Amino acid sequence: MPVAASAIYFLNLRGDVLINRLYRDDVGGNMVDAFRMHIMQTKELGTCPVRQIGGCSFFYMRISNVYIVIVVSSNANVACAFKFVVEAVALFKSYFGGAFDEDAIRNNFVLIYELLDEIMDFGYPQNLSPEILKLYITQEGVRSPFSSKPTDKPVPNATLQVTGAVGWRREGLVYKKNEVFLDIVESVNLLMSSKGSVLRCDVTGKILMKCFLSGMPDLKLGLNDKIGLEKESQLKSRPTKSGKTIELDDVTFHQCVNLTRFNSEKTVSFVPPDGEFELMKYRITEGVNLPFRVLPTIKELGRTRIEVNVKVKSVFGAKMFALGVVIKIPVPKQTAKTNFQVTSGRAKYNAAIDCLVWKIRKFPGQTEPTLSAEVELISTMTEKKSWTRPPIQMEFQVPMFTASGLRVRFLKVWEKSGYNTVEWVRYITKAGSYEIRC
Amino acid sequence: MSGHDSKYFSTTKKGEIPELKEELNSQYKDKRKDAVKKVIAAMTVGKDVSSLFTDVVNCMQTENLELKKLVYLYLINYAKSQPDLAILAVNTFVKDSQDPNPLIRALAVRTMGCIRVDKITEYLCDPLQRCLKDDDPYVRKTAAICVAKLYDINAELVEDRGFLESLKDLISDNNPMVVANAVAALAEIQENSNRPIFEITSHTLSKLLTALNECTEWGQVFILDALSKYKAADAREAENIVERVTPRLQHANCAVVLSAVKMILQQMELITSTDVVRNLCKKMAPPLVTLLSAEPEIQYVALRNINLIVQRRPTILAHEIKVFFCKYNDPIYVKMEKLEIMIKLASDRNIDQVLLEFKEYATEVDVDFVRKAVRAIGRCAIKLERAAERCITVLLELIKIKVNYVVQEAIIVIKDIFRRYPNTYESIIATLCESLDTLDEPEAKASMIWIIGEYAERIDNADELLESFLESFPEEPAHVQLQLLTATVKLFLKKPTEGPQQMIQVVLNNATVETDNPDLRDRAYIYWRLLSTDPEAAKDVVLAEKPVISDDSNLLDPSLLDELLANIATLSSVYHKPPEAFVTRVKTTTQKTEDEDYGSETGNSESPAHIADSAASPPTSSGAPYAAARQAAPAPASPAHAAAAPVPDLLGDLIGMENSAIVPVDQPASPAGPPLPVVLPASTGQGLQISAQLTRREGQIFYSLLFENNTQSPLDGFMIQFNKNTFGLAAAGPLQVPQVQPGTSAGTLLPMVTFQNMSQGPPSSLLQVAVKNNQQPVWYFNDKISLHVFFTEDGRMERANFLETWRSLPDSNEITRDFPGIVVSNVEATLDRLAASNMFFIAKRKHANQDVFYFSVKIPRGIPFLIELTTVVNNPGVKIAIKTPSPETAPLFFEAMETLLKD
């Protein structure tokens, strides 16, 4: 049964109900007490997001300082339930202007009730697209840039759009200047052994799009991925210009992309929603260009001293640079004193997370700054187990660089009025979970 | 920008309720609206504002949509507590359902469906009828779901008013969202009904698959879930379906992806072309891996499902093991699941990498995770013979770190490794003995003691080591005591010198005189008697060769796995339990009782319960096996040893347990009768197919079995065993199956006895069977007991006797059921057939255009059933009323009736 929820609760960290909605009669109104007693107030909290208590099952997620709990008593579709929560939070955020926390819920409870009534009926998720909902669910004080347009009265054909085949775009949009912004955002996930061999490495990328286009445009996106290019040259029966091509392990698309067409022709064609949305996500495991290599040597000298040497090498083009580089080097809990030298940036010891935190604001390509530190430890009386050495973690952003090598080859826009569009493309690579064991 | 609703939560100085009442009746619109908001705010924080019902309902008649919604919300919450006042709202609802604004029409119908008050429900029908045919798709899609709501409140009303037909019409609606909601509603109604309401034909299937493309993401989930129950007619149709579903794998919504995977896996069972299957596996891998980059909660759901998928189709992710490596910051529940999948995917090819990972995890902070990682190394050693040595090396390295819980966990798994590879790795015992003093957990202690006892002859100071444990014997937990007892006996038998002799005196004394634990006492007495009568026999028993254990990491029962795979993405797939095991509300009682049993037997994936075990030992014995040969493996909690095959109970004869149900094969078979239902398909039985059915012949119940050998080698030494069941069915004699040559089959009729080993609990038709042969592992399968095999030949009742019995039984013992799908066309033939099954015709009368028949039936122990069967000849629909002193068996009886009448 694709039912996703019998009831949904929003709780604060103390377990007070901020707002709730019962969709079905098969769970009692006080089920949340069971959740509070058996999960929130026990060690169970955070050990498993799907739990059975009595005849009911609870799925919960924490988002900022709010627990969102779904209760069911049937064999519900859990995947659907969690996805619903994720999307609902995104929807609320778009209504509240970004924040989703206890205060935002209290300040907008009327609106949330209204939305909860609209986005789920009898436990079945309905249309959650912010773009469409904003057409007819509006609240004073929470007007988004879209509803400030001349739609103060409920749009007469709103209902048609909610249920329409293009349920994510409304008709009759007009822009003076037709623009499309494409952001290719990649996160590199890396797990490297202390000896420098790559244990696991992949890139998850997403293409974010911001559209300000009039009418009902048809868009087609071309990337330098291997399958797409091969198919294209097959169709045109002539080889396309070869450059670097990459192999995408997997792609997933926004609702608006015609999947059947992608499957047969390997082209990404779609009618975009208005405003900002995530067009596609992809994953790559082969041929990843790692922007940084980290070479750590950590020596334990006796029981009270540790010598740390970390060299970080940027392996992207010399003309590029990375921003906001943070390297967290773990040290034992009983650290007493630290001494360090860095050739670039700043470092300090953060006792709260037991790490040496080394920050470099601007990190040019083809350089290799180092950090060398001496750590003194409090000698402990009890012979405790040896230090477990968590991995070194790294954060960074490298603009105009893609770890996958993905490039946008073209973005074509067709609209019956035949206007011209301006397209802007940006690339950025960030650290996902970038871990180096030491 | 953000709202400022929080002001409504602030309380006022004056009494709150009177003040709100005043404001609700204010002449100013804005004030009224604010007051309603305050009421809703109070409701949200759990204050009882039901006393304001009339005042709030008075605000319902408004043009302001926002206010209207708030009032409706209030109604949903409080109508149930004020059913009489709720009627006040009906007029407005009915009026709103005809409002020119479609949003208001839909809102009215949607809200009315949520108010579960009979009086309101009555008034819902007309608006609902209109809305189902509304011009606006938004109203229709809301009305479609509303039918499901109404069905939940009053199913009859829905059927009487023809809403089901309207709903079915909506499947052909031109709006995809209406279609999706109608499908969701129908699927739900079908799930709660016994009648066929929403049957998917190839035509609807094709129509819905076309609609998929235009649906919202959620609509796609509804449709895919509904269609996943569809059984394709042949491989070609299956391929066709799969081809149309595969594009969904690229969807950004994880629920769509999982539902598509579910559907593809279902259809793949039918596809015969290996190329197509291989290709599909290749296509499914990347989307499954991508799910692991979602939110951790979604990852968890995905991982639980992947766990199932790799059990059925290990090839899909065979090359992707790296993506299951744990990240340092993964939540613990994600790490645990990843570990489980890593064990399942570990192979000779990747074991080195996997071991490096496990070793890394074994040094992390979270104790539970570390333990699981250590245990994982042991499980890999047991699973992969060629890697066992490397696994042991890693375990020894970990022991050297001297972290207490790591050492203990390592000893527990090494004990299992010893059992898996006897006489191979004993050289490491010395290293283990070094850690003896640090052991403080019962399971680790028990394991270590078992090792010492088992290898007493190789450990020079085994007696000293054991003696050190003996000092604290009275304080130890039961299973450590049991192990100490057995280990001391082993030591004595291996080294019958003075020291051990003294020790055994002490232990036997402790375990017989000074203990309250019957398991321990019984075991000690057995040893005592054995040792005093015939030490050689004691040696044969206690030091008998132990059966080799195998890896259990893939051991979900195949039929359970089938069921779970059909439930991908749902709770069932997360719990790894069939839905009936945790959903309390199911449509028929039969199913419920049957599957509760089933769930408790096989639902626990960590240590699958074993039919052989539970059949041979009484339910009270706390998992401690009876026979010395089997108890040789320490403590039941270890997952690896749980997989031990059922062994003949060596001590069974000694203590007079003659009903050990294992029956050796020694006689040729007799031919079987008509085609039997397949209970163990060849795909599950590694080429062995078993068909079986209970039958009754000449007053005796037989289990008719057919073994088909599709393997490459002959199979022999068949044995069979039955788990406890409601009727206590057990084999009356040996199973007679000759050696079955490849490509041939052999059948037999196994005579059965009843009331031998009965299970507790409500009657269930479940019959769990284990079959083993000399060449293959033990196969478990479930069969159904059809009650009619129990109908005895002496069930005929005289008319007068029938009437008297009918009157003497209380009305509460009368149970009625309808069988809408059954037609009685030839009365004579039907009566003959029923009589052949010992269901005896007594009388017949006419009632209007209906025929009413009376029958009697008796089942063993003299329990009669009196049956009244009402039908119109040649028209579908049979109604059966029964009266019996044993009404709890009624569901089983009806099931049997259905089978008999359908034949």
Side-chain angles (χ1 to χ4, degrees):
Chain A
M1 206 156 58
V3 155
S6 287
I8 185 166
Y9 289 92
F10 295 76
L11 309 177
N12 66 11
L13 297 184
R14 280 206 323 222
D16 303 332
V17 179
L18 300 173
I19 204 165
N20 73 315
R21 172 73 206 249
L22 298 176
Y23 287 108
R24 284 175 166 257
D25 205 40
D26 54 355
V27 300
N30 54 353
M31 282 327 293
V32 72
D33 297 333
F35 178 77
R36 220 179 284 139
M37 259 183 23
H38 295 284
I39 298 178
M40 280 193 94
Q41 293 165 0
T42 63
K43 279 189 294 185
E44 299 292 331
L45 191 64
T47 55
C48 181
V50 181
R51 281 288 312 276
Q52 190 188 353
I53 304 171
C56 290
S57 293
F58 294 78
F59 323 146
Y60 66 98
M61 249 178 160
R62 181 180 163 170
I63 289 164
S64 82
N65 56 0
V66 176
Y67 280 104
I68 302 175
V69 185
I70 280 189
V71 191
V72 298
S73 76
S74 58
N75 183 27
N77 189 321
V78 194
C80 203
F82 276 128
K83 188 67 187 175
F84 171 77
V85 172
V86 171
E87 301 254 307
V89 169
L91 171 69
F92 296 153
K93 278 182 175 167
S94 112
Y95 263 95
F96 310 158
F100 178 84
D101 53 21
E102 190 178 345
D103 291 338
I105 293 178
R106 281 197 195 281
N107 283 325
N108 296 285
F109 81 96
V110 174
L111 172 65
I112 296 181
Y113 270 132
E114 205 173 327
L115 286 171
L116 285 177
D117 192 45
E118 191 62 44
I119 59 179
M120 184 173 263
D121 194 5
F122 204 43
Y124 294 98
Q126 304 292 308
N127 199 333
L128 268 81
S129 151
E131 159 75 356
I132 296 296
L133 289 170
K134 280 173 183 170
L135 286 180
Y136 65 101
I137 297 187
T138 50
Q139 289 275 313
E140 303 148 60
V142 286
R143 288 211 192 290
S144 71
F146 304 110
S147 54
S148 61
K149 289 209 193 86
T151 50
D152 276 323
K153 286 268 140 56
V155 192
N157 64 352
T159 54
L160 290 173
Q161 301 207 3
V162 182
T163 56
V166 187
W168 52 85
R169 188 181 178 89
R170 63 198 160 99
E171 284 166 32
L173 289 164
V174 183
Y175 286 95
K176 224 183 264 170
K177 196 170 162 193
N178 290 294
E179 283 180 305
V180 182
F181 297 88
L182 272 179
D183 277 336
I184 289 87
V185 183
E186 296 194 338
S187 324
V188 199
N189 298 304
L190 170 77
L191 185 60
M192 197 180 258
S193 77
S194 49
K195 297 184 185 77
S197 60
V198 175
L199 296 176
R200 193 193 57 215
C201 174
D202 61 89
V203 171
T204 51
K206 46 189 173 185
I207 299 185
L208 301 175
M209 205 165 193
K210 215 184 281 179
C211 285
F212 302 109
L213 297 172
S214 315
M216 275 284 173
D218 252 313
L219 274 67
K220 196 166 155 187
L221 176 74
L223 303 170
N224 61 336
D225 72 299
K226 205 168 147 202
I227 302 171
L229 281 170
E230 272 168 12
K231 194 81 187 183
E232 195 173 315
S233 59
Q234 216 178 61
L235 289 174
K236 292 182 181 166
S237 66
R238 63 177 163 81
T240 43
K241 275 180 288 172
S242 62
K244 196 194 165 212
T245 63
I246 59 159
E247 219 167 320
L248 299 173
D249 281 30
D250 188 29
V251 276
T252 58
F253 294 105
H254 182 267
Q255 172 79 33
C256 66
V257 176
N258 186 330
L259 293 180
T260 316
R261 198 147 151 210
F262 173 76
N263 213 42
S264 55
E265 298 168 27
K266 302 292 169 203
T267 54
V268 184
S269 38
F270 55 100
V271 179
D274 195 33
E276 202 173 338
F277 69 104
E278 186 180 291
L279 175 67
M280 66 181 264
K281 264 193 195 156
Y282 56 91
R283 200 162 44 77
I284 289 172
T285 44
E286 297 299 320
V288 175
N289 311 314
L290 290 175
F292 292 100
R293 295 200 84 91
V294 180
L295 309 162
T297 39
I298 298 185
K299 279 189 219 147
E300 289 176 63
L301 307 169
R303 298 253 302 274
T304 56
R305 264 185 43 188
I306 293 179
E307 204 178 85
V308 180
N309 276 296
V310 179
K311 188 195 273 183
V312 181
K313 232 167 143 177
S314 56
V315 282
F316 44 86
K319 284 181 190 160
M320 289 194 272
F321 51 86
L323 297 173
V325 179
V326 180
I327 303 133
K328 291 182 190 158
I329 305 149
V331 291
K333 260 199 162 13
Q334 63 270 32
T335 298
K337 208 172 141 192
T338 53
N339 253 324
F340 29 65
Q341 290 168 322
V342 287
T343 57
S344 169
R346 274 183 183 178
K348 67 177 179 204
Y349 166 59
N350 184 335
I353 52 170
D354 297 315
C355 279
L356 298 177
V357 181
W358 178 18
K359 289 184 180 168
I360 303 167
R361 201 173 294 159
K362 196 168 172 181
F363 197 137
Q366 303 297 333
T367 55
E368 39 179 277
T370 56
L371 169 144
S372 47
E374 243 176 55
V375 180
E376 281 178 37
L377 309 177
I378 307 163
S379 58
T380 45
M381 286 304 178
T382 49
E383 172 128 21
K384 277 193 79 182
K385 56 170 178 167
S386 58
W387 176 41
T388 56
R389 292 202 181 196
I392 292 178
Q393 298 189 337
M394 203 173 163
E395 294 164 20
F396 55 78
Q397 291 189 3
V398 192
M400 299 321 281
F401 172 83
T402 49
S404 63
L406 185 91
R407 285 277 174 274
V408 172
R409 289 193 301 122
F410 60 80
L411 177 70
K412 291 178 188 157
V413 181
W414 284 281
E415 217 282 334
K416 49 182 187 290
S417 60
Y419 53 72
N420 284 325
T421 352
V422 190
E423 294 118 39
W424 308 88
V425 184
R426 279 194 302 189
Y427 300 90
I428 191 164
T429 293
K430 293 181 186 169
S433 110
Y434 210 81
E435 295 177 350
I436 299 97
R437 289 180 180 160
C438 55
Chain B
M1 275 191 290
S2 135
H4 305 283
D5 297 347
S6 56
K7 65 172 185 260
Y8 300 113
F9 288 98
S10 59
T11 44
T12 51
K13 289 158 271 166
K14 240 208 276 179
E16 198 174 22
I17 301 282
E19 186 161 316
L20 281 173
K21 205 177 181 88
E22 197 177 298
E23 286 176 33
L24 282 170
N25 292 311
S26 154
Q27 52 178 323
Y28 303 107
K29 263 191 201 161
D30 283 351
K31 205 156 191 186
R32 284 208 301 269
K33 189 164 149 188
D34 270 8
V36 174
K37 282 190 181 177
K38 281 182 196 163
V39 171
I40 299 288
M43 184 182 93
T44 304
V45 295
K47 282 182 199 148
D48 184 13
V49 283
S50 57
S51 57
L52 296 168
F53 201 90
T54 352
D55 308 282
V56 176
V57 172
N58 280 340
C59 301
M60 194 172 168
Q61 289 259 24
T62 169
E63 288 301 301
N64 186 316
L65 193 56
E66 189 193 346
L67 180 58
K68 199 181 261 305
K69 283 181 181 172
L70 290 172
V71 176
Y72 278 8
L73 184 68
Y74 178 92
L75 276 172
I76 294 174
N77 268 292
Y78 288 111
K80 232 180 173 178
S81 59
Q82 310 266 359
D84 297 330
L85 292 175
I87 203 85
L88 293 174
V90 164
N91 261 332
T92 322
F93 273 131
V94 175
K95 214 175 107 209
D96 280 355
S97 74
Q98 302 177 60
D99 196 277
N101 183 346
L103 287 171
I104 294 182
R105 292 202 296 275
L107 183 67
V109 173
R110 187 164 68 212
T111 313
M112 272 179 101
C114 295
I115 299 176
R116 302 172 65 96
V117 172
D118 283 344
K119 282 180 192 144
I120 298 240
T121 312
E122 281 165 31
Y123 288 97
L124 170 60
C125 290
D126 292 329
L128 182 55
Q129 203 127 45
R130 270 197 305 275
C131 288
L132 280 166
K133 305 235 152 42
D134 202 286
D135 285 341
D136 194 297
Y138 181 81
V139 181
R140 289 201 301 277
K141 73 121 186 163
T142 312
I145 294 283
C146 191
V147 175
K149 292 181 189 171
L150 187 60
Y151 193 88
D152 194 37
I153 305 170
N154 190 340
E156 258 172 55
L157 200 58
V158 170
E159 291 178 20
D160 292 351
R161 297 291 299 252
F163 286 133
L164 292 177
E165 281 63 42
S166 315
L167 203 51
K168 281 183 203 160
D169 291 344
L170 290 186
I171 293 185
S172 315
D173 201 282
N174 55 17
N175 184 293
M177 198 152 175
V178 177
V179 175
N181 277 0
V183 168
L186 279 169
E188 178 173 336
I189 290 172
Q190 178 65 75
E191 200 150 315
N192 294 319
S193 164
N194 287 318
R195 291 203 301 119
I197 289 168
F198 180 43
E199 278 175 335
I200 296 160
T201 60
S202 64
H203 177 68
T204 32
L205 175 99
S206 160
K207 213 159 54 181
L208 290 176
L209 283 177
T210 317
L212 263 186
N213 242 333
E214 273 119 42
C215 279
T216 66
E217 42 196 324
W218 314 107
Q220 297 185 16
V221 178
F222 305 161
I223 291 179
L224 287 170
D225 276 4
L227 294 186
S228 69
K229 295 194 175 67
Y230 179 78
K231 299 265 176 296
D234 52 26
R236 251 193 58 205
E237 191 183 9
E239 279 179 45
N240 235 321
I241 295 172
V242 164
E243 198 175 309
R244 297 176 67 181
V245 174
T246 332
R248 298 300 123 203
L249 294 172
Q250 249 65 55
H251 204 287
N253 186 317
C254 61
V256 177
V257 174
L258 277 175
S259 291
V261 167
K262 164 161 59 189
M263 183 134 180
I264 293 171
L265 283 172
Q266 293 294 328
Q267 300 302 338
M268 257 165 91
E269 296 291 327
L270 278 171
I271 297 178
T272 41
S273 152
T274 44
D275 278 354
V276 176
V277 169
R278 199 179 316 123
N279 205 353
L280 283 172
C281 286
K282 234 166 95 189
K283 275 191 182 153
M284 271 189 285
L288 286 173
V289 172
T290 298
L291 293 177
L292 299 181
S293 52
E295 289 74 11
E297 290 84 359
I298 293 175
Q299 284 185 48
Y300 173 75
V301 175
L303 286 164
R304 290 294 283 176
N305 278 291
I306 289 172
N307 190 324
L308 296 173
I309 295 168
V310 297
Q311 288 189 49
R312 175 55 44 91
R313 306 260 173 202
T315 46
I316 293 185
L317 293 163
H319 301 284
E320 305 280 357
I321 194 164
K322 277 186 174 185
V323 302
F324 298 101
F325 287 4
C326 301
K327 294 178 187 163
Y328 191 73
N329 290 330
D330 277 339
I332 183 71
Y333 53 84
V334 169
K335 284 186 177 173
M336 292 290 207
E337 292 307 318
K338 283 187 173 173
L339 211 54
E340 200 58 46
I341 293 169
M342 283 171 75
I343 300 172
K344 292 209 162 73
L345 294 179
S347 65
D348 287 328
R349 209 159 20 85
N350 57 28
I351 187 69
D352 286 322
Q353 240 183 340
V354 171
L355 280 177
L356 276 176
E357 282 297 305
F358 287 160
K359 197 179 159 193
E360 186 73 33
Y361 305 157
T363 61
E364 281 197 16
V365 191
D366 189 295
V367 178
D368 288 337
F369 181 57
V370 170
R371 283 175 182 276
K372 193 155 179 150
V374 177
R375 212 164 264 231
I377 300 172
R379 284 170 66 182
C380 284
I382 290 165
K383 182 179 164 192
L384 306 168
E385 185 160 5
R386 270 186 283 174
E389 195 162 351
R390 277 169 282 172
C391 296
I392 289 187
T393 317
V394 174
L395 286 171
L396 290 178
E397 285 169 33
L398 289 173
I399 288 179
K400 280 185 195 128
I401 308 175
K402 293 224 180 283
V403 177
N404 192 324
Y405 51 84
V406 173
V407 174
Q408 308 212 35
E409 203 66 37
I411 286 179
I412 295 170
V413 295
I414 286 177
K415 171 261 302 172
D416 289 336
I417 298 176
F418 282 171
R419 285 217 53 199
R420 171 73 174 80
Y421 309 106
N423 307 317
T424 321
Y425 299 110
E426 284 76 9
S427 55
I428 65 171
I429 291 176
T431 323
L432 301 184
C433 289
E434 287 167 23
S435 318
L436 215 56
D437 308 335
T438 55
L439 304 181
D440 52 10
E441 290 165 21
E443 200 185 351
K445 264 191 195 174
S447 303
M448 193 64 218
I449 293 168
W450 180 83
I451 293 175
I452 297 173
E454 187 66 20
Y455 300 102
E457 72 274 23
R458 305 190 195 203
I459 308 171
D460 293 336
N461 58 343
D463 43 354
E464 284 168 39
L465 296 178
L466 274 184
E467 208 160 5
S468 65
F469 284 108
L470 284 181
E471 287 160 18
S472 56
F473 188 93
E475 290 91 57
E476 296 290 355
H479 61 286
V480 177
Q481 290 181 330
L482 284 168
Q483 281 315 316
L484 265 174
L485 172 63
T486 307
T488 320
V489 173
K490 283 184 193 162
L491 172 73
F492 173 72
L493 289 170
K494 288 177 175 176
K495 293 183 181 172
T497 54
E498 201 179 319
Q501 183 143 17
Q502 273 173 6
M503 279 163 66
I504 199 116
Q505 293 292 350
V506 177
V507 172
L508 287 177
N509 189 46
N510 264 327
T512 50
V513 184
E514 316 219 327
T515 179
D516 295 331
N517 182 338
D519 286 347
L520 183 64
R521 211 167 42 216
D522 286 357
R523 199 191 278 191
Y525 274 127
I526 291 169
Y527 284 143
W528 202 325
R529 256 168 242 166
L530 265 175
L531 291 170
S532 51
T533 24
D534 187 355
E536 279 311 305
K539 249 184 204 175
D540 287 348
V541 172
V542 180
L543 305 179
E545 208 167 294
K546 277 155 285 295
V548 171
I549 59 168
S550 59
D551 174 47
D552 73 325
S553 55
N554 269 333
L555 269 188
L556 266 186
D557 178 79
S559 62
L560 176 64
L561 185 59
D562 277 338
E563 188 172 3
L564 296 182
L565 284 171
N567 278 304
I568 279 183
T570 68
L571 258 181
S572 170
S573 72
V574 172
Y575 290 151
H576 290 187
K577 286 180 189 170
E580 298 82 4
F582 58 90
V583 176
T584 42
R585 210 178 47 157
V586 282
K587 48 185 172 182
T588 61
T589 42
T590 23
Q591 240 182 354
K592 187 172 156 190
T593 50
E594 174 187 323
D595 287 314
E596 267 172 5
D597 266 8
Y598 177 59
S600 63
E601 286 291 336
T602 43
N604 187 342
S605 60
E606 275 294 312
S607 56
H610 278 260
I611 292 174
D613 274 347
S614 46
S617 60
T620 46
S621 91
S622 55
Y626 260 60
R630 257 197 278 148
Q631 117 213 154
S638 145
H641 115 270
V647 207
D649 212 325
L650 287 184
L651 274 188
D653 291 336
L654 278 172
I655 39 176
M657 283 181 58
E658 272 154 15
N659 191 29
S660 161
I662 290 193
V663 187
V665 174
D666 51 4
Q667 283 167 24
S670 58
L676 302 165
V678 176
V679 284
L680 180 81
S683 56
T684 321
Q686 295 177 4
L688 172 67
Q689 175 165 305
I690 305 177
S691 324
Q693 193 172 34
L694 285 166
T695 61
R696 186 180 188 92
R697 292 186 190 184
E698 285 136 21
Q700 161 85 34
I701 299 173
F702 292 93
Y703 199 40
S704 179
L705 287 139
L706 182 70
F707 298 87
E708 284 180 63
N709 182 357
N710 301 320
T711 65
Q712 300 301 317
S713 53
L715 299 172
D716 59 13
F718 281 96
M719 296 188 191
I720 192 165
Q721 199 178 32
F722 297 89
N723 195 4
K724 275 181 260 181
N725 51 70
T726 300
F727 301 97
L729 278 169
L735 179 65
Q736 305 174 345
V737 182
Q739 187 180 61
V740 187
Q741 293 298 332
T744 64
S745 62
T748 185
L749 273 181
L750 177 68
M752 303 288 284
V753 287
T754 47
F755 305 112
Q756 282 294 329
N757 50 349
M758 293 171 68
S759 64
Q760 304 299 316
S764 150
S765 62
L766 182 67
L767 180 65
Q768 292 178 315
V769 189
V771 167
K772 107 178 201 100
N773 57 50
N774 289 342
Q775 285 75 22
Q776 293 183 309
V778 184
W779 302 118
Y780 302 100
F781 56 83
N782 295 332
D783 200 358
K784 230 180 169 138
I785 305 173
S786 188
L787 193 69
H788 67 263
V789 302
F790 290 96
F791 293 178
T792 54
E793 283 70 14
D794 61 348
R796 189 181 294 279
M797 225 181 240
E798 289 312 315
R799 231 177 141 140
N801 189 1
F802 181 92
L803 286 171
E804 195 176 311
T805 321
W806 185 277
R807 282 196 210 104
S808 69
L809 288 165
D811 279 347
S812 58
N813 281 20
E814 183 174 339
I815 300 145
T816 309
R817 175 139 348 143
D818 287 310
F819 299 91
I822 294 179
V823 192
V824 175
S825 45
N826 184 342
V827 178
E828 287 295 303
T830 308
L831 293 182
D832 284 350
R833 205 168 56 230
L834 293 176
S837 298
N838 294 334
M839 182 164 166
F840 300 102
F841 172 67
I842 293 175
K844 172 184 166 183
R845 71 182 169 95
K846 276 242 173 228
H847 177 73
N849 61 339
Q850 294 178 316
D851 285 313
V852 187
F853 300 86
Y854 294 91
F855 300 90
S856 71
V857 154
K858 205 184 251 176
I859 62 170
R861 301 195 161 171
I863 299 171
F865 283 86
L866 311 182
I867 301 113
E868 182 193 67
L869 186 152
T870 314
T871 186
V872 180
V873 175
N874 280 329
N875 277 320
V878 171
K879 181 177 159 192
I880 297 178
I882 63 164
K883 242 180 172 180
T884 171
S886 155
E888 65 280 2
T889 35
L892 297 184
F893 183 83
F894 286 126
E895 225 169 273
M897 280 308 298
E898 194 162 7
T899 325
L900 285 176
L901 289 171
K902 260 192 186 156
D903 276 350

